[in-house]
Amino acid sequence: MVRFENVGMRYDAGPEVLRDVTFVLEAGSFTFLTGLSGAGKTTLLKLIYLAEPPSRGLITLFGRDLATAKRTALPALRRRIGVVFQDFRLLDHLSAFDNVALPLRLAGKRVSDYARDVEELLSWVGLGDRMNSAPPTLSGGEQQRVAIARAVVARPDLLIADEPTGNVDPEMGARLIRLFSELNRLGTTVLIATHDRTLIETARAREMRLVDGRLVELRASAA
Amino acid sequence: MMNNSAHVLPRDKGAAPLDFVIAVMAFLAALALGASLIADRAAAGWQSGLAAKLTVQVLPPETGDANAGLQAQIQAALDVLNATPGIAHAELISDTDTQALVEPWIGKNNLVSEIPLPRLIDATIVPGEEVDVAALTQKLKQAAPSALVDDHSRWIGRLGALAGAVRYSAYAILLLIAGATAAAVSFATRAGLSAHHEMVELLHQMGALPSFIARTVEWHYFISALMAALAGTLVAAVLFLGASGLESFGVEAVPFLPPLSLKWTEIPWLLAVPAATAAIAWATARISVLSVVKAIY
Ligand SMILES: Nc1ncnc2c1ncn2[C@@H]1O[C@H](COP(=O)(O)OP(=O)(O)OP(=O)(O)O)[C@@H](O)[C@H]1O
Ligand SMILES: [Mg+2]
């Protein structure tokens, strides 16, 4: 599903943030990415969700070599990826409902077809009564849950979540992890960057750790 | 798909200044366009009015019985004119009318009737036909030696030059305003787009095609520019129609100056202004969005 070979990354003329990163995410796998703040977790995720091209190295996504893929082929790849951004990136002028519905709308679906799914999902993350609220009127944790609902609503082939439980209490954190596990059980490959040790312990999944820009394999998949 | 995209964009906040600028520019552009229409019409009117007439001046003979000689020459000239192909009819301007014409220069007193004034013959040309002025002059020279033909070509030439100057000035102003409008609209559209930058980036990240992203934005700018430009044009149209109201109130324009109003049938031309404005906003928005998207990976 995702393959990195000797990938290096630097922003402009800055220092190298990632060095010789090599790993494989098998289809249907569930993986945690850890590392100190500033270690380069978000940077690594950006390379996967096609927000930045790598400075060097080889990335293969959904079996396609990105170095040779045409630009026009990238949007179709992006549509197969659900992303929970560390800073949420919700659209302030849309309601929680419309934010979550955005990927479905981009896929050309009609409101009548997806309205129930969106409402159900929002209820599941505890926002059943905040569906028509605009993001600026929601708490940080509520915004985070809208961002998560948006990332999973279209059942992407690959789910990338950057600190998805940073702003919620432990119970809600456990609930969200159940959501990711459920999605994973249905076939989505999941990669979650987190500092949350309890989250990692409960899920007992593979953990990759970034140290000094290099990737260290800490634990192979427990399953 | 269009329906889908239309709802993604924020409802306008802070776009009022942009709409105002577009409305004002459209108003000015409509004024310039209207002025060029009026100049066009006036130029055509002046020229056809003068070209449809010929004037023959018959001077009193210097020898013999002035009055009898004059009458004979007038009759001869009228005969020649009426026999000339292309002339509908020729008519002697009456004594009183002639005196009225010279009155501003000579004054109104009995003296006038005693001065041997040249008499004027007013010949109307059949619309669309031309008169061979050289041949006519030849014939008149034989029949009435003291008759002079004036085909107004000097006046037509001068008025034509004046009308041309007015017309091309109007075109130049129109062009300048169109350029300024285009610049203002595209500048404002770009400024507005920077507010939508976040949304454009997000849609791109979610895998929306550049054309889809452009569509979400471009129609928004098309519609709001169209509305603002329509408002500005409407004000200009009301002014142009109102100007005809002034004339009917007796505020006569200086004679010779064209009426400063547009006819109802000319008003639709002004719609070119909002159409062009909306097209400029649409194209700018589209080009800007596509270039923003292209700059992202
Ligand atoms: N757009 C950017 N331009 C320049 N440098 C950047 C950019 N984004 C990140 N960096 C730098 O790259 C390094 C890694 O940043 P990154 O955001 O990947 O860390 P992280 O592991 O996600 O940290 P955190 O846990 O705090 O989210 C940092 O030193 C950061 O300053
Ligand atoms: Mg980060």
Side-chain angles (χ1 to χ4, degrees):
Chain A
M1 178 108 327
V2 181
R3 172 187 294 275
F4 273 47
E5 281 172 61
N6 299 315
V7 171
M9 177 65 183
R10 64 169 78 232
Y11 290 101
D12 302 319
E16 200 153 54
V17 178
L18 298 176
R19 266 174 251 160
D20 286 328
V21 171
T22 300
F23 68 91
V24 175
L25 296 183
E26 298 293 350
S29 61
F30 195 112
T31 309
F32 285 111
L33 177 66
T34 58
L36 297 176
S37 180
K41 301 183 293 298
T42 299
T43 303
L44 181 90
L45 298 185
K46 275 187 185 167
L47 296 181
I48 301 177
Y49 63 70
L50 302 177
E52 303 268 1
S55 305
R56 55 190 179 82
L58 209 71
I59 299 179
T60 313
L61 194 63
F62 304 119
R64 300 197 63 157
D65 177 1
L66 293 186
T68 60
K70 284 204 181 112
R71 270 184 79 104
T72 50
L74 299 184
L77 298 183
R78 291 192 181 100
R79 282 198 292 274
R80 298 173 64 181
I81 309 173
V83 185
V84 183
F85 302 98
Q86 193 166 10
D87 52 358
F88 315 145
R89 295 178 65 177
L90 300 175
L91 295 180
D92 288 350
H93 58 275
L94 295 183
S95 66
F97 179 94
D98 286 330
N99 266 286
V100 173
L102 205 52
L104 300 170
R105 225 187 255 171
L106 289 186
K109 297 212 169 91
R110 299 166 168 282
V111 189
S112 52
D113 295 335
Y114 63 65
R116 275 199 60 79
D117 290 349
V118 172
E119 284 168 13
E120 234 166 65
L121 187 56
L122 276 167
S123 301
W124 209 89
V125 297
L127 293 174
D129 53 347
R130 305 302 312 269
M131 274 191 271
N132 296 316
S133 306
T137 69
L138 297 174
S139 76
E142 287 169 334
Q143 290 181 33
Q144 188 151 43
R145 283 177 273 158
V146 174
I148 290 171
R150 184 181 66 188
V152 303
V153 73
R155 301 250 177 102
D157 294 329
L158 176 62
L159 178 76
I160 307 287
D162 200 349
E163 296 284 355
T165 58
N167 294 276
V168 297
D169 55 75
E171 277 113 283
M172 183 48 80
R175 195 175 169 81
L176 293 175
I177 274 296
R178 285 228 311 279
L179 180 63
F180 295 141
S181 300
E182 186 63 21
L183 201 66
N184 179 241
R185 219 173 46 76
L186 292 171
T188 297
T189 305
V190 178
L191 176 63
I192 301 173
T194 187
H195 293 291
D196 191 341
R197 289 314 311 176
T198 45
L199 204 68
I200 299 166
E201 298 312 322
T202 41
R204 298 189 52 74
R206 175 187 178 192
E207 180 183 345
M208 303 189 301
R209 190 173 178 80
L210 273 173
V211 181
D212 278 341
R214 291 174 196 279
L215 203 59
V216 183
E217 200 76 34
L218 280 191
R219 180 168 61 192
S221 179
Chain B
M1 205 62 164
M2 214 213 109
N3 223 359
N4 263 344
S5 46
H7 291 279
V8 181
L9 213 68
R11 245 173 290 288
D12 261 317
K13 25 180 186 178
L18 165 59
D19 289 342
F20 182 70
V21 167
I22 291 179
V24 170
M25 297 309 283
F27 170 72
L28 294 175
L31 280 190
L33 181 61
S36 72
L37 284 173
I38 288 170
D40 259 358
R41 172 148 50 85
W46 286 341
Q47 286 173 328
S48 68
L50 281 174
K53 295 253 179 198
L54 255 175
T55 307
V56 174
Q57 205 182 110
V58 185
L59 302 171
E62 278 150 24
T63 53
D65 179 352
N67 199 34
L70 186 60
Q71 291 307 329
Q73 295 232 4
I74 287 170
Q75 197 48 56
L78 278 173
D79 289 344
V80 169
L81 283 169
N82 282 323
T84 304
I87 288 182
H89 62 93
E91 186 177 27
L92 181 68
I93 295 178
S94 71
D95 253 336
T96 36
D97 283 348
T98 309
Q99 283 174 22
L101 277 174
V102 297
E103 190 188 294
W105 287 276
I106 300 178
K108 193 189 173 101
N109 51 41
N110 291 338
L111 206 70
V112 174
S113 49
E114 279 149 40
I115 298 174
L117 281 175
R119 300 296 303 269
L120 299 173
I121 299 172
D122 195 15
T124 306
I125 296 169
V126 178
E129 282 195 36
E130 283 207 22
V131 172
D132 185 347
V133 177
L136 178 63
T137 311
Q138 267 307 311
K139 276 196 192 147
L140 277 175
K141 200 169 242 164
Q142 290 165 6
S146 49
L148 292 171
V149 184
D150 178 6
D151 64 354
H152 305 148
S153 55
R154 245 181 60 225
W155 279 105
I156 292 174
R158 280 202 195 173
L159 281 175
L162 174 63
V166 171
R167 191 188 323 191
Y168 288 114
S169 310
Y171 288 163
I173 292 169
L174 184 62
L175 216 64
L176 279 177
I177 290 180
T181 307
V185 168
S186 79
F187 181 77
T189 304
R190 272 169 205 276
L193 271 177
S194 71
H196 298 142
H197 206 99
E198 216 179 319
M199 185 198 74
V200 168
E201 281 186 348
L202 179 70
L203 291 177
H204 173 74
Q205 177 60 64
M206 288 182 151
L209 294 174
S211 57
F212 176 90
I213 302 172
R215 239 177 298 142
T216 65
V217 174
E218 70 202 12
W219 289 112
H220 167 83
Y221 284 96
F222 178 85
I223 300 288
S224 56
L226 183 67
M227 290 304 163
L230 268 177
T233 305
L234 190 72
V235 175
V238 166
L239 275 186
F240 278 123
L241 289 174
S244 74
L246 280 184
E247 279 156 26
S248 62
F249 265 114
V251 184
E252 289 284 336
V254 186
F256 251 116
L257 263 190
L260 294 173
S261 65
L262 285 180
K263 295 183 191 128
W264 271 107
T265 48
E266 286 168 326
I267 292 293
W269 283 106
L270 297 185
L271 290 178
V273 171
T277 307
I280 291 165
W282 177 86
T284 311
R286 183 171 184 85
I287 291 165
S288 312
V289 172
L290 291 180
S291 74
V292 164
V293 170
K294 205 163 201 169
I296 315 172
Y297 171 45

